[in-house]
Amino acid sequence: MVIMINLAPRGAPYQLSMLVLLSLPACAIPAEWTVVPSLRMRESYTDNMNLAPPGQAQGEFTTELAPGIAVSTDGPHLKLALDYSLQQIHYTHRTDRSTQQLDAQGHAGLVRDWLYLDARSSISQQNMSAFGPQVLEPTQVTANSSTVRATSISPYLQHHFHGLATAQLRYDYQRVTGGGLLGVRSDDTSLRLTGDNDGQGWNWDMRADRKHIADNALPPVTMNDTALTLSYPLNSRLSLSATGGYEKSDYHTGGAQPQGSYWSAGGNWTPSPRTKVAASVGRRYFGNTYSLDAAYRMHSMFWSLNYNEDITTTHGEFLRIEPTGLSDFLYQLWATRIPDPQTRLQTIKAFLLISQMLGPNGNVNFFSHRYFLQKDWKLATVYTSARSALALSLTTTRRTAQSSSAIDSPLLKPDELALEDRTRQSAAQAGWNWRMSPRSSVTVGASHSRAESLSTGRSDRNSVLTLALTHQLQPKVSASVDLRHVRHTSNAGGGYRENGIGAALAIAF
């Protein structure tokens, strides 16, 4: 069987498709498949469809019809999770339109202990800038949103040479498009060798990476990185590591070229199966670097604290794999409460969506052709009891541009080119779910964010309050009602308020 997902818009000069081949001999071992077609119907009203200031707001009724399908399998040689929906949106005072939502990822073992394939693909509606109106759902219409299509196809060779090393040679093709404003392709070839020390004493890891990036608005960029890591376990709970390497990139900057030797030193501490801490310090061509990855799990609570800093891009962030600690914890914990795996996944997805109305990180990966130094802090936790769950996240993201703002002239007005030279986005988000009965629940969400341009002084704030009531009519039929209040303020003007109400019926076949 072949599943084809077309990732290119109609009329594109060339087509890009992700093919997941499921009929290969290596994948022929029987595995349990789950295929769930679905249909969601929703009627809603908003008093400010265009997210405009007072006096310019336009009220609108909308009708949504969203057929979808979820496909998953978790076999020994094939893992696939695909969730797709097509939303047809009918308006009372404007032209009807349609949107797509896709979240797909897969892993296949094609030739045992030799050839493998990883693939990811997504289609989503994204805000283009952290400043200005922020779209929260597909029905809303502003000039600050676009459809983003991202795909990654990565075949690789991997083999374990007993007593010597594990070798991996990987090729990764990536593509990200956002309307006519964002179009980036990259080819990444990497070689990695990890020593086989039979779990005793010193070990080593060597990698070499070469990436070629083609941005529609920029000359081609090549990035090279070579590193050697040495590690030593002090005991079963604590290990130390040190890395040294050299990196070189040829994207244009206003200062010194982005290249040079680098180093880092750190450790991993795992005092118990429920606790892990990994931290490092180092130095790269742009200055000192730090990282932290900590997690603590109890029977009814999960905590995580993360810090990371790196050179990144808009397209790179759209392809970044987000941590799944909260959803994984809830999936295991709610196994008894919600036995059906697909229903459990949808329930967790809906809960986290309301708990993180401004996005998983609370910040906007704004459209840009520039390279940035990005520093991220994130604290996330979830607490559950027999009938309720509480999720909380605090995030801060700082970006400092490493390349000229002139290349963003197609995206920004002339007087806004300095807006994204240095930015800071902070967010606090919380969600609470209470199970009123075996078939009914209520979820409340509150989110607040602040986007600051440290170079121009502009500051925008967004606040969202959400209430949703859900009732299971039948095992595969559910109904819900949701209320929403949004407030946006800015010292540059353009503040608005928006209130929305909706009722939905979801059917899984």
Side-chain angles (χ1 to χ4, degrees):
M1 181 172 70
V2 177
I3 294 179
M4 175 179 288
I5 302 169
N6 192 341
L7 299 176
R10 292 182 181 178
Y14 52 86
Q15 299 290 312
L16 175 64
S17 300
M18 183 181 77
L19 298 179
V20 182
L21 302 178
L22 308 180
S23 58
L24 296 173
C27 301
I29 294 179
E32 181 179 352
W33 283 83
T34 302
V35 180
V36 182
S38 63
L39 178 64
R40 184 172 183 265
M41 297 166 284
R42 184 172 184 264
E43 189 75 21
S44 63
Y45 174 79
T46 173
D47 63 358
N48 191 355
M49 174 62 71
N50 52 338
L51 305 181
Q56 304 176 31
Q58 301 173 1
E60 186 97 35
F61 283 96
T62 58
T63 300
E64 300 171 60
L65 187 64
I69 187 169
V71 180
S72 64
T73 186
D74 190 8
H77 297 289
L78 177 66
K79 302 181 187 299
L80 175 68
L82 181 149
D83 192 354
Y84 173 81
S85 67
L86 173 64
Q87 296 169 299
Q88 300 287 343
I89 306 174
H90 304 276
Y91 297 93
T92 54
H93 297 108
R94 63 185 70 225
T95 305
D96 297 345
R97 65 190 184 97
S98 63
T99 64
Q100 300 180 74
Q101 300 288 333
L102 171 67
D103 183 8
Q105 53 188 331
H107 170 81
L110 306 180
V111 179
R112 185 177 181 181
D113 199 29
W114 278 104
L115 180 60
Y116 303 87
L117 173 68
D118 290 335
R120 291 184 290 133
S121 182
S122 66
I123 304 176
S124 59
Q125 312 303 309
Q126 300 288 341
N127 289 300
M128 296 166 53
S129 173
F131 302 97
Q134 300 297 299
V135 171
L136 298 178
E137 63 170 50
T139 60
Q140 296 173 331
V141 180
T142 76
N144 190 35
S145 66
S146 180
T147 299
V148 174
R149 293 171 167 85
T151 187
S152 169
I153 302 176
S154 180
Y156 63 97
L157 293 169
Q158 180 170 295
H159 185 72
H160 177 67
F161 298 92
H162 183 70
L164 181 61
T166 296
Q168 183 186 101
L169 178 63
R170 179 185 288 268
Y171 172 78
D172 191 1
Y173 174 82
Q174 299 179 342
R175 184 187 180 197
V176 176
T177 62
L181 299 175
L182 188 66
V184 183
R185 301 184 310 277
S186 69
D187 300 271
D188 190 349
T189 304
S190 63
L191 172 65
R192 184 170 187 174
L193 301 172
T194 303
D196 180 6
N197 65 347
D198 199 25
Q200 303 292 326
W202 289 92
N203 203 9
W204 57 274
D205 181 276
M206 184 176 67
R207 59 180 174 81
D209 182 273
R210 181 180 178 88
K211 176 181 284 190
H212 181 78
I213 302 173
D215 188 317
N216 292 345
L218 300 176
V221 171
T222 301
M223 309 177 79
N224 295 283
D225 186 5
T226 304
L228 172 65
T229 298
L230 300 177
S231 60
Y232 182 76
L234 297 179
N235 52 51
S236 60
R237 300 179 178 180
L238 178 63
S239 64
L240 302 178
S241 63
T243 299
Y246 185 85
E247 60 185 328
K248 181 179 180 180
S249 302
D250 59 5
Y251 61 84
H252 180 71
T253 66
Q257 279 299 105
Q259 64 183 55
S261 58
Y262 64 89
W263 64 269
S264 67
N268 289 272
W269 181 48
T270 311
S272 72
R274 296 184 175 185
T275 306
K276 68 170 186 177
V277 180
S280 69
V281 298
R283 186 168 182 84
R284 294 174 62 183
Y285 65 85
F286 53 79
N288 295 330
T289 61
Y290 308 91
S291 71
L292 174 66
D293 182 8
Y296 178 59
R297 181 190 299 263
M298 295 185 290
H299 175 69
S300 59
M301 180 178 287
F302 176 82
W303 289 84
S304 67
L305 177 63
N306 305 94
Y307 175 77
N308 184 62
E309 53 186 73
D310 200 359
I311 299 297
T312 189
T313 58
T314 295
H315 67 271
E317 290 300 297
F318 280 130
L319 286 164
R320 185 172 72 168
I321 300 176
E322 297 290 344
T324 59
L326 295 185
S327 58
D328 290 346
F329 175 75
L330 289 173
Y331 186 82
Q332 295 176 14
L333 196 64
W334 287 356
T336 303
R337 172 178 167 181
I338 310 174
D340 181 68
Q342 193 62 36
T343 303
R344 195 187 324 155
L345 284 172
Q346 294 301 322
T347 301
I348 294 171
K349 182 179 178 179
F351 170 58
L352 294 179
L353 178 64
I354 295 177
S355 303
Q356 303 168 343
M357 284 297 293
L358 296 173
N361 292 320
N363 65 75
V364 176
N365 179 30
F366 49 78
F367 281 25
S368 177
H369 299 289
R370 306 168 77 179
Y371 288 77
F372 293 91
L373 170 59
Q374 180 166 300
K375 301 180 179 182
D376 292 310
W377 274 105
K378 182 174 183 179
L379 170 67
T381 182
V382 60
Y383 170 78
T384 65
S385 65
R387 299 182 63 183
S388 66
L390 175 66
L392 172 68
S393 65
L394 303 173
T395 59
T396 297
T397 298
R398 296 189 64 149
R399 275 185 173 182
T400 303
Q402 305 294 294
S403 49
S404 170
S405 62
I407 59 177
D408 277 343
S409 55
L411 299 172
L412 299 171
K413 299 176 182 178
D415 58 345
E416 295 179 343
L417 287 177
L419 190 65
E420 297 169 352
D421 284 350
R422 292 187 301 121
T423 61
R424 178 173 59 206
Q425 299 183 63
S426 303
Q429 305 191 91
W432 177 69
N433 172 269
W434 180 45
R435 194 181 186 191
M436 299 180 292
S437 72
R439 301 174 67 181
S440 302
S441 65
V442 58
T443 304
V444 180
S447 300
H448 179 77
S449 70
R450 182 181 183 183
E452 301 172 86
S453 172
L454 303 179
S455 50
T456 67
R458 176 167 176 172
S459 177
D460 286 24
R461 297 175 183 266
N462 300 282
S463 299
V464 184
L465 293 175
T466 308
L467 171 67
L469 298 170
T470 303
H471 181 69
Q472 200 74 30
L473 301 175
Q474 296 179 13
K476 294 185 178 296
V477 181
S478 64
S480 63
V481 176
D482 60 270
L483 301 171
R484 179 182 67 252
H485 173 72
V486 180
R487 184 178 181 183
H488 171 85
T489 61
S490 173
N491 60 6
Y496 63 85
R497 294 189 180 188
E498 187 258 352
N499 299 286
I501 183 173
L505 182 68
I507 305 171
F509 299 97

